[in-house]
Amino acid sequence: MMVEDLGIEAKEAAVREVAKILPLPELLQSISSIKADYIARQQANDAQLSAMVAEQVEQAQAGLESLASSQKATNQLRENFVSIENLCQECQTLIENHDKIKLLSNARNNLNTTLKDVEGMMSISVEAAEARDSLSDDKELINTYERLTALDGKRRFALAAASSHKEEVGRLREYFEDVDRTWETFEKTLWGHIRNFLKLAKESPQTLVRALRVVEMQEILDQQLAEEAAEAEGVGTMASITNARRTAKKTTTSIASSRNLTQQKLKAQGKGYKDKCYEQIRMSVEERFNKLLTELVFEDLKAALEEAKTIGEELGDIYDFVAPCFPPRYEIFQLMVNLYTERFIQWLRLLSDRANDLTNIETLKVTGWVVEYQDNLIGLGVDESLAQVCSESGAMDPLMNSYVERMQATTEKWYLNILEADKVQPPKKTEDGKLYTPAAVDLFRILGEQVQIVRENSTDVMLYRIALAIIQVMIDFQAAERQRMEEPASEIGLEPLCAMINNNLRCYDLAMELSTSTIEALPPNYGDQINFDDTCKGFLEVAKEAVHLTVSVIFEDPGVQELLVKLYQKEWAEGQVTEYLVATFGDYFSDVKMYIEERSFRRFVEACLELTVIVYVDHLLIQKSYIKEETIERMRLDEEVLMDFFREYISASKVENRLRILSDLRDLASAESPDSFTLVYTNILEHQPDCPPVVVEKLVGLREGIPRKDAKEVVQECKEIYENSLVDGNPPKTGFVFSKVKCLAASNKSIWRTLA
């Protein structure tokens, strides 16, 4: 029934498939082609299935044949084992006294072994002698080592075999003394080759390579022995752990002590040839430096420098000849650089201990050698930071300190003599009439020479120290100039002051050039630490101070003093002061304009104008006469005269800005009402915030017809305006006038006390 159902389902499925293939009636015509295609595919599938079945049948037949062969071989083996067992049993019954025969066989084997051991022991002296004889030939170095190593193996075996018999161990040790003596001779030869590494690397590199090969072989052997010892200790440790499991605490202690003991034994085992190799190299380097560090450094600097140069150049040979002979992991060249540099630093420290005994030229020779050494290292591929260890170790600090101190002292002595000479010798003139003295050019010529000498013959750190010293020299030079400017301007004189202005401007330019070249010569890590700018600007400040002193020369002129005394007096009111004053100014200006540079001359004119305004304000506030209309008019005329004069030299806007306070004070002096006073005073505070209310008080006191009550009210209001303008109790900024007016000095102090 089930088969019939499957047949029905198959027919239905076939009908559905045919319906899918032939959905339209007109497609019935293609039934023949579809049928032909189906028959072709069925034939191909039948052929493929037949081939696969045939292949599987062949493989199955081969497997059955293999199984049959295996079964046959297994049966044969079983038969052979049975036959062997039967034969063995028959033999046991045929031989009598089998146990005795077995003992005899063992005895014979032991005898043969003993005879071999005896032969080996008898040959030890012979082999040791052969090894000793082979030491005369460097080519046999490795063979000699291998022979001695084999003898050591025999010794270890013999001592291990006799370990339970102390007497035999003692006799064996005596027997092996010849081997020990041969080892001593061998090692003496080996370390002699290592100490002589440089000469061997040049003349017989094969010998050096063989010696290093022995070191490597011994290191490998030490490692093997250490591993064997570790395994043996491991077995013992495990046994102790098993026996001590009952007590956890005891187990932990046992493990720790066993491990420590194992580590100590491993460290003690082995010959440590690699460490000894390094030690021999270090001893060789010490011997090489012995003469330099114990004799020449104290006796002959020239010879010491030659010796140091020769030793330093050996690093090139070490790089070319020695390093290729050593295994790369030894990093022998870097080691030699470190050893050489350490001892050169020691030499430099010894030289520094007697830095005061060396001349500057000798110091430069030492620093010059350091530069050559550094360049040599860099040329050999050493990193620049490592190559500069000598110069940056601090070993040369006393030498550099001595050199710098001498340079500073010499330079200071020189420029002080020049400045003293400037006091008695008249300044020189350029072709266009500008005044100068040789001090500026000579100073920077000497400083430039110092920089150049150090650049060519010394280290970066020395150049850095010289740069700092030069900055200090320039600061000291500026201080010396300022000290001279403390003298009265009239005693110094107009022409020396003009020369000083020009000199300092020239010094600024030369200082900037020197700073640029110096910083460019220094590496960034030093150049970034140096600040020339503030020191260079110091020359501009000295020039500015000299400009003000030049103005003081004019105002200290007796003729000018005589005119200034008459300000706000009768002659002034008649026009006999300001007009004459600007005429005198004109004479001075013509000379100063010829003597100094144009940029300084403009600053000079501005300074003169500012001082003129200050003097006029000061005299206005100290004069006792009442202010009348004639006074106000004369003040206005003074402003016009000053304006006309000064704008010939500087811009009209600058002149108006400076004269504005005179105009404001004139307005304040001519105010008619309290509001006018406060308005004008407020305007003054906008551009002269430090104008104190006492100025208003003085001018109000010089006015006729103002009631005392009104005067007090005006002064009080102005005080309030002033107080309200203060920031943290001080004026927002300082103007160029009132902080310098002499008559206000005492008043200002009392004002600050009152406001505080």
Side-chain angles (χ1 to χ4, degrees), residues 33-76:
S33 61
I34 292 173
K35 187 176 181 180
D37 182 55
Y38 167 75
I39 292 172
R41 290 184 182 180
Q42 186 178 20
Q43 291 176 350
N45 290 335
D46 290 342
Q48 186 176 2
L49 286 172
S50 298
M52 292 174 63
V53 170
E55 184 178 355
Q56 291 295 328
V57 170
E58 290 178 358
Q59 291 178 356
Q61 289 177 348
L64 291 173
E65 291 176 357
S66 297
L67 287 173
S69 177
S70 298
Q71 181 67 31
K72 184 178 180 180
T74 302
N75 293 333
Q76 184 66 37

Side-chain angles (χ1 to χ4, degrees), residues 18 60 95 140 144 158 165 353 384 433 450 469 751:
V18 171
I95 301 175
E140 294 296 319
T144 302
H165 304 283
D353 290 341
E384 189 171 347
Q450 286 294 330
I751 288 173

Side-chain angles (χ1 to χ4, degrees), residues 736-749:
F736 76 91
V737 179
F738 295 101
S739 61
K740 301 174 184 176
V741 173
K742 294 179 181 179
C743 70
L744 295 179
S747 300
N748 285 342
K749 292 180 182 178

Side-chain angles (χ1 to χ4, degrees), residues 642-684:
L642 293 173
M643 181 70 186
D644 292 340
F645 174 75
F646 280 100
R647 68 183 177 184
E648 293 181 6
Y649 302 99
I650 57 177
S651 65
S653 61
K654 288 185 177 181
V655 179
E656 290 175 359
N657 185 48
R658 299 299 191 277
L659 293 178
R660 180 178 177 181
I661 186 61
L662 294 180
S663 176
D664 289 341
L665 291 177
R666 175 166 54 81
D667 292 341
L668 189 63
S670 61
E672 298 295 338
S673 65
D675 291 341
S676 299
F677 275 105
T678 56
L679 179 61
V680 173
Y681 183 64
T682 302
N683 291 335
I684 291 175

Side-chain angles (χ1 to χ4, degrees), residues 147-199:
R147 289 173 180 172
L148 290 173
T149 302
L151 289 173
D152 264 356
K154 291 182 178 181
R155 170 163 48 185
R156 284 195 302 274
F157 177 78
L159 292 176
S163 59
S164 59
H165 304 283
K166 294 183 179 180
E167 294 181 359
E168 292 184 11
V169 170
R171 287 195 296 270
L172 285 173
R173 291 189 186 281
E174 294 176 1
Y175 196 75
F176 280 100
E177 285 181 357
D178 194 27
V179 177
D180 292 333
R181 287 191 293 270
T182 306
W183 265 115
E184 291 177 2
T185 305
F186 171 78
E187 290 185 348
K188 184 177 180 180
T189 303
L190 176 67
W191 302 132
H193 290 331
I194 297 296
R195 277 197 304 274
N196 199 27
F197 63 90
L198 183 56
K199 184 178 179 181

Side-chain angles (χ1 to χ4, degrees), residues 364 367 371 374 388 391-392 394 396-397 400-401 403-405 407-408 447 450-474 514-515 517-532:
L364 286 176
T367 57
V371 172
Q374 289 180 175
Q388 294 177 348
S391 60
E392 297 184 355
M396 294 196 301
D397 285 355
M400 292 188 291
N401 291 340
Y403 182 91
V404 170
E405 289 170 3
M407 186 275 288
Q408 285 182 286
L447 296 180
Q450 286 294 330
V451 171
Q452 188 65 26
I453 290 171
V454 173
R455 283 182 62 180
E456 295 176 353
N457 300 281
S458 194
T459 60
D460 291 337
V461 66
M462 182 68 162
L463 181 58
Y464 168 72
R465 296 287 298 277
I466 287 296
L468 295 178
I470 286 173
I471 290 175
Q472 189 59 49
V473 167
M474 291 192 288
L514 181 62
S515 68
S517 61
T518 303
I519 291 176
E520 288 177 353
L522 285 168
N525 59 319
Y526 285 120
D528 294 342
Q529 300 181 49
I530 296 178
N531 180 16
F532 274 96

